């Protein structure tokens, strides 16, 4: 768009994970440290064949929380491997089963919730497979040794739990704490691990959706702002072009007339200079109105017009030697302001183009016709000056104004080839409220001549 540049957007934006921040990782690491340490000490009392963690066991229990804090999110694969290895080493040393697995599970969940989403899923599920396979392998290796140890040293435990009958030692019995070594328990543990990772993945997806929604909302707001700025710049550019092109063209013609008549006909030269002064004063007032929008000093967003302004345009053109006839039917006095602004600019630009591009103009006719649509016709009987000129900003701005009001614009030679024709068809709103203070135009009514004395503050 005009005057704007679009930012380069990342085609695959990376949504940050909840565990990319240090604080939640520290919180989870502290909780895992407390639960796994106290839980392993308590579990060693219930598992007759297990020994207390000891210093080596406590150091192994601290590996997973340390990996959670110091290795994520930069080294997720390394954090997964060291936490799983520490837990399996803890079990191979004959320590209690159960709470030690909380550490690697927390690390896998942390991996899922940090770093790049796709990479996090691959590493987390690979780590889950590594943990499940490692636990199954350790259980298979320890089962015969624990079986023999419990046969040699049967625990003296009350039979308050488990099925009645003679003691049964080995994987699957209830009183010595080895129930988790059964195949069903291992499968159940793997299923719970999968549930934890699925929940973590769902949390990650929800956080990513929130981030994407906020980014989309910011982009939408920025796009609306850029569109509004570009539209306002384009509108101000059209206003300034229409004001300056028309006024400067008139001033140029009057200045040439004044210079030509200055020595031989001073009175007529004075009249030309008066017209220059009046035209420049009107142009200055319009430029101030447009610039007031930029300054935001309470100026109206668009200039307001009544149909008497068309007579002033015709008077300016007549002062430059054009024969301009204005035909305004009486039923066009209640048009909305925005529609009158379009009509004014179409007539203004058309008269400017006649002065600049046509030669041997005998008569210019400005006609408004109201029916289902409002038709604005500006026709002249002159010949084009030289080769056809490329469409400029004036024609482009005139077309944008007409089409912005829902109408159509036709510009080209007249059907009989005797001049140039500008035809704008504009829709008229159904509701036609009367504007308070509107002045009914008359073709014979001309603007009052300005005073020869310049008003205070006329200088820009």
């Amino acid at each position: 768009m005009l005057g704007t540049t679009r930012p380069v957007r990342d085609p695959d934006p990376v949504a940050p994970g909840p565990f990319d921040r240090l604080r939640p990782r520290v919180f989870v690491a502290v909780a895992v440290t407390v639960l796994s340490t106290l839980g392993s000490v308590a579990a060693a009392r219930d598992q007759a064949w297990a020994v207390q963690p000891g210093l080596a066991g406590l150091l192994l229990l601290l590996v997973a929380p340390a990996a959670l804090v110091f290795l994520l999110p930069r080294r997720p694969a390394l954090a997964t491997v060291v936490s799983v290895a520490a837990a399996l080493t803890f079990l191979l040393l004959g320590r209690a089963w159960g709470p030690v697995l909380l550490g690697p599970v927390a690390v896998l969940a942390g991996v899922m919730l940090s770093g790049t989403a796709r990479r996090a899923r691959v590493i987390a599920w690979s780590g889950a497979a590594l943990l499940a396979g490692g636990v199954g392998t350790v259980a298979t290796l320890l089962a015969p040794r624990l079986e023999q140890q419990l046969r040699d040293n049967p625990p003296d435990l009350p039979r308050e739990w488990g099925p009645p009958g003679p003691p049964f030692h080995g994987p699957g019995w209830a009183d010595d704490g080895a129930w988790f070594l059964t195949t069903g328990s291992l499968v159940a543990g793997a299923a719970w691990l999968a549930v934890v990772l699925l929940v973590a993945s769902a949390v990650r997806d929800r956080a990513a959706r929130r981030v994407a929604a906020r980014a989309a909302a910011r982009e939408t707001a920025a796009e609306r702002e850029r569109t509004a700025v570009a539209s306002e710049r384009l509108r101000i550019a059209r206003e300034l072009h229409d004001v300056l092109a028309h006024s400067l063209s008139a001033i140029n013609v009057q200045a040439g007339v004044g210079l030509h008549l200055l020595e031989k006909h001073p009175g007529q030269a004075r009249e030309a200079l008066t017209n220059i002064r009046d035209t420049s004063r009107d142009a200055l007032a319009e430029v101030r109105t447009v610039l007031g929008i930029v300054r935001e000093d309470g100026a109206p967003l668009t200039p307001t017009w009544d149909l008497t302004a068309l007579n002033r345009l015709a008077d300016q053109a007549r002062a430059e030697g054009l024969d301009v006839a204005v035909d305004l039917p009486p039923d066009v006095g209640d048009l909305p302001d925005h529609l009158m602004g379009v009509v004014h600019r179409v007539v203004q630009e058309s008269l400017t183009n006649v002065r600049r591009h046509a030669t041997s103009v005998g008569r210019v006719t400005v006609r408004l016709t109201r029916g289902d649509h409002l038709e604005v016709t500006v026709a002249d009987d002159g010949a084009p000056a030289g080769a056809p000129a490329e469409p400029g900003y004036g024609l482009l701005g005139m077309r944008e104004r007409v089409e912005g009001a829902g109408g159509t614009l036709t510009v080209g030679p007249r059907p009989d080839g005797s001049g140039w024709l500008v035809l704008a068809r504009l829709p008229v709103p159904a509701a036609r409220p009367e504007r308070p203070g509107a002045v009914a135009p008359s073709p014979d009514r001309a603007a009052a001549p300005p005073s020869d004395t310049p008003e205070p503050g006329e200088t820009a």
Side-chain angles (χ1 to χ4, degrees):
M1 288 188 176
L2 178 65
T4 62
T5 57
R6 286 183 174 273
V8 178
R9 298 176 59 183
D10 186 355
D12 185 19
V14 178
F19 271 30
D20 285 348
R21 296 173 295 171
L22 179 62
R23 181 176 297 180
R25 300 203 309 273
V26 171
F27 177 80
V28 173
V30 171
V32 168
T33 300
V34 173
L35 294 177
S36 61
T37 302
L38 298 181
S40 295
V41 172
R45 298 176 182 176
D46 295 333
Q47 298 173 16
W49 42 266
V51 296
Q52 289 294 332
L55 179 59
L58 291 177
L59 292 177
L60 290 173
L61 291 175
L62 291 176
V63 171
L68 192 63
V69 173
F70 297 109
L71 295 181
L72 293 183
R74 296 185 300 275
R75 300 288 186 271
L78 181 60
T80 300
V81 171
V82 298
S83 61
V84 171
L88 296 181
T89 302
F90 184 91
L91 297 177
L92 285 173
L93 293 177
R95 268 59 176 182
W97 285 60
V100 66
L101 299 177
L102 182 61
V105 171
V107 170
L108 292 176
V111 169
M112 184 69 77
L113 295 173
S114 62
T116 306
R118 182 178 300 177
R119 182 188 180 199
R121 288 189 177 92
V122 173
I123 296 177
W125 285 109
S126 300
L130 177 64
L131 178 61
V135 169
T137 301
V138 172
T140 302
L141 294 175
L142 291 182
R145 190 176 72 183
L146 298 182
E147 176 81 15
Q148 185 62 39
Q149 181 179 350
L150 292 174
R151 287 184 186 280
D152 295 342
N153 301 292
D156 185 13
L157 297 174
R159 295 292 302 181
E160 298 177 358
W161 303 98
F168 174 75
H169 297 283
W173 97 85
D175 288 338
D176 59 6
W179 56 270
F180 48 82
L181 293 178
T182 62
T183 302
S185 298
L186 294 176
V187 172
W192 276 110
L193 175 59
V195 169
V196 170
L197 292 185
L198 288 174
V199 171
S201 179
V203 172
R204 177 65 185 269
D205 291 341
R206 184 176 181 181
R209 285 194 296 270
R210 287 201 300 267
V211 171
R214 289 195 293 266
R218 288 194 298 269
E219 177 64 21
T220 301
E223 183 66 24
R224 284 199 300 265
E225 182 178 355
R226 289 193 295 269
T227 302
V229 170
S231 300
E232 188 65 10
R233 286 178 176 176
L234 184 61
R235 189 180 66 81
I236 293 174
R238 285 199 302 262
E239 293 288 346
L240 288 176
H241 173 272
D242 290 346
V243 171
L244 296 178
H246 176 80
S247 301
L248 293 180
S249 176
I251 290 172
N252 179 65
V253 172
Q254 292 293 332
V257 173
L259 289 174
H260 181 70
L261 300 176
L262 182 60
E263 296 182 357
K264 297 182 179 180
H265 303 281
Q268 296 181 12
R270 177 181 178 83
E271 181 180 354
L273 292 175
T274 302
N275 291 332
I276 290 175
R277 183 202 60 188
D278 297 340
T279 302
S280 61
R281 179 165 50 191
D282 293 341
L284 181 61
E286 292 190 40
V287 169
R288 283 173 175 168
T289 301
V290 176
L291 295 181
I293 303 171
V294 182
R295 294 194 306 267
E296 298 180 351
D297 59 357
L301 292 181
T302 55
T304 56
W305 310 100
D306 56 33
L307 293 182
T308 58
L310 299 183
N311 292 290
R312 289 196 296 271
L313 293 176
D315 291 339
Q316 291 178 1
R318 294 187 188 105
E320 299 166 19
L322 291 178
D323 182 8
V324 180
V326 180
D327 183 6
L328 301 180
D331 59 345
V332 294
D334 58 348
L335 292 173
D337 287 337
H338 76 279
L339 206 59
M340 284 310 308
V342 175
V343 172
H344 183 276
R345 292 307 190 195
V346 168
V347 174
Q348 183 184 56
E349 181 64 24
S350 299
L351 293 177
T352 301
N353 288 338
V354 170
R355 287 194 298 266
R356 294 175 58 187
H357 302 298
T359 59
S360 304
V361 177
R363 187 177 183 84
V364 180
T365 303
V366 177
R367 179 179 295 108
L368 270 65
T369 306
R370 183 164 178 173
D372 295 336
H373 288 73
L374 176 65
E375 292 190 356
V376 183
T377 305
V378 181
D380 67 80
D381 57 1
E390 292 292 331
Y393 292 115
L395 180 59
L396 178 62
M398 184 163 53
R399 188 176 301 278
E400 288 175 348
R401 289 179 187 277
V402 173
E403 293 179 353
T408 59
L409 179 69
T410 303
V411 179
R414 296 172 64 174
D416 56 3
S418 61
W420 200 258
L421 174 67
V422 175
L423 173 61
R425 299 183 76 252
L426 300 167
V428 179
R432 302 169 183 172
E434 292 187 1
R435 292 179 293 139
V439 180
S442 172
D444 299 329
R445 179 176 177 180
S451 172
D452 291 343
T453 304
E455 297 178 2
E458 280 299 318
T459 58

